[in-house]
Structure formats: C-alpha cells, structure tokens
Amino acid sequence: MSRLPSSRARAAWRDSLQSVALAILVALSLRAFVFEAFKIPSGSMIPSLQIGDQIWVNKLIFGPRIPFTTVRLIAGATPQHGDVIVFVCPEPPNEDYIKRVIGLPGDKVQLIDNVVYLNDQPLPRRPLGAGSFANRDTDGWLKVSAAQFEERLGAHTYTVLQEQGATAGRHGTMPPFKVPADHLVVMGDNRDHSHDSRVWGAVPMRHVIGRSTFIWWSWGEHGLDVRRLGHWVP
C-alpha cells in the first residue's frame, strides 16, 4: 500500500518550487530590464566586435523599457558619441542591430572620402596599416583585407576598417545630414560592410535597447577564442 507524502515532505516540495519560480522570475527580470546577452551575427563592427562574439548589454543605463514595446519605465542616461549600442533597426524587418553612435540630436554629420565630419570637423584618425580579418557571408568564412585607422570620438578610441579592392569606398560618401531631435546617427566600424544610417537614416531614441559592455564569450571561425574573453567593447 502506497503512503501519502507527509506534510513535511509536501512543505519541502512547495518551498523548492517556490525557490525555483523565484529564481526564474529574477533571471527573467534581469534579462528584461538590466542586462541581456547578445551574439554578434555579422561583420559590420569588425574589428571591435567579431562574428561569434557574445556580449553583455546594459539595458538599464538608458532607462528600462516595457518588454516588446518602446515605452520606457523611467528615463535614463542619453547615448554619447562613440557608444556602441544595441537598437531596433527602423527599417523592416526591424531586427536588433549593433552600431556605434556617431551623431547626437542637433549634430551635423557628413562623410567625405571615408572621413567622418562631425559639425564640420573631421574626426581625429591615424593610419594603422593593412590587416586581414575573418568575415562570413552566405558561402561561409572568408578573409577581408582592409586598411585600419584609429579613430577617436568622445571618450572612445577604436579601429575602423576601409576595404581595399573593388568594393572599397562604396559607402565612403554621405551628404551633410542634421540629426533630428530624439534621434541618433550610427555607423559600423567595418565601414564598407555595414548597413547603417548611411542607408536608412537616423535611429529614433526610443528604439535604443542598451549599451554594450564586454565580451563574455567568443566562438568564431576556429571555435573558442579565449583571447577575446573579458574584453571591454571600445
């Protein structure tokens, strides 16, 4: 004859289930409002972020949003020049993108011969020589040869790429553009391989999800790349 569980056993199971439910609720809340992991699927931010990098994104800093909406629960900080942000692309299918903030509301942004001009002043940059980088398309992994330039914007110093060869300079020019109120102009660091504000215009501030922080995992062309683990996004 089977025995019914004792009241003590039932209480222990109930406490365990409550603990599990609470842990799940905390984890989901942190993911929704504080930090979320994002995987880099494309090469538009090479070399700062490479395909297969997984980063933590701070969703609290700009003000947490109600999940699946653009409504912020509280106002937060404002993105700054040079920040690498995750946002919802204003162009259908409205996927999550990651780019660098180039222009803030009221700024005048222009691109002349691959040099960014902000409010009529060129961004400081210096050549670093040529480099070879792993990229990926529908046919698999490939090597991209590009000239490297150290660029400075706001509090950030980072490297941008300018491809050498047939496709070089295809996005190297952008007419003067004044950033509207409550919008941002963003670009990828891999300038010749980035679908960004040069194509679809400014990003509404309400579309911003958060700011990237550091790389916690990286699984690229050759598997795990331990050299990239723990690196802060420049």
Side-chain angles (χ1 to χ4, degrees), residues 33-190:
F33 302 115
V34 183
F35 278 97
E36 184 175 355
F38 282 82
K39 182 178 180 180
I40 306 302
S42 72
S44 69
M45 285 295 293
I46 295 173
S48 299
L49 292 169
Q50 300 184 15
I51 297 174
D53 284 351
Q54 296 195 35
I55 61 172
W56 284 112
V57 172
N58 185 339
K59 303 175 76 171
L60 186 63
I61 188 170
F62 300 136
R65 306 190 311 170
I66 298 175
F68 310 111
T69 75
T70 59
V71 179
R72 297 197 186 277
L73 294 171
I74 58 173
T78 302
Q80 298 299 305
H81 288 122
D83 285 352
V84 176
I85 62 169
V86 173
F87 58 94
V88 179
C89 180
E91 182 181 74
N94 306 113
E95 297 174 336
D96 292 348
Y97 274 27
I98 182 166
K99 307 289 179 186
R100 192 176 299 277
V101 176
I102 301 297
L104 300 179
D107 282 344
K108 176 184 175 184
V109 180
Q110 186 175 9
L111 197 64
I112 303 174
D113 294 332
N114 295 292
V115 177
V116 175
Y117 284 73
L118 182 63
N119 298 320
D120 297 318
Q121 297 298 316
L123 294 188
R125 73 174 197 164
R126 65 183 182 91
L128 299 175
S132 181
F133 303 90
N135 206 339
R136 187 172 62 192
D137 60 14
T138 54
D139 296 322
W141 290 96
L142 67 155
K143 290 295 183 182
V144 175
S145 177
Q148 305 174 86
F149 295 88
E150 180 187 84
E151 191 170 273
R152 290 189 287 112
L153 177 57
H156 302 269
T157 300
Y158 49 92
T159 300
V160 298
L161 302 184
Q162 182 178 323
E163 188 171 342
Q164 301 169 316
T167 60
R170 60 181 177 176
H171 294 314
T173 300
M174 184 180 82
F177 178 81
K178 185 173 182 179
V179 186
D182 297 320
H183 284 70
L184 303 168
V185 163
V186 298
M187 294 183 192
D189 291 349
N190 189 1

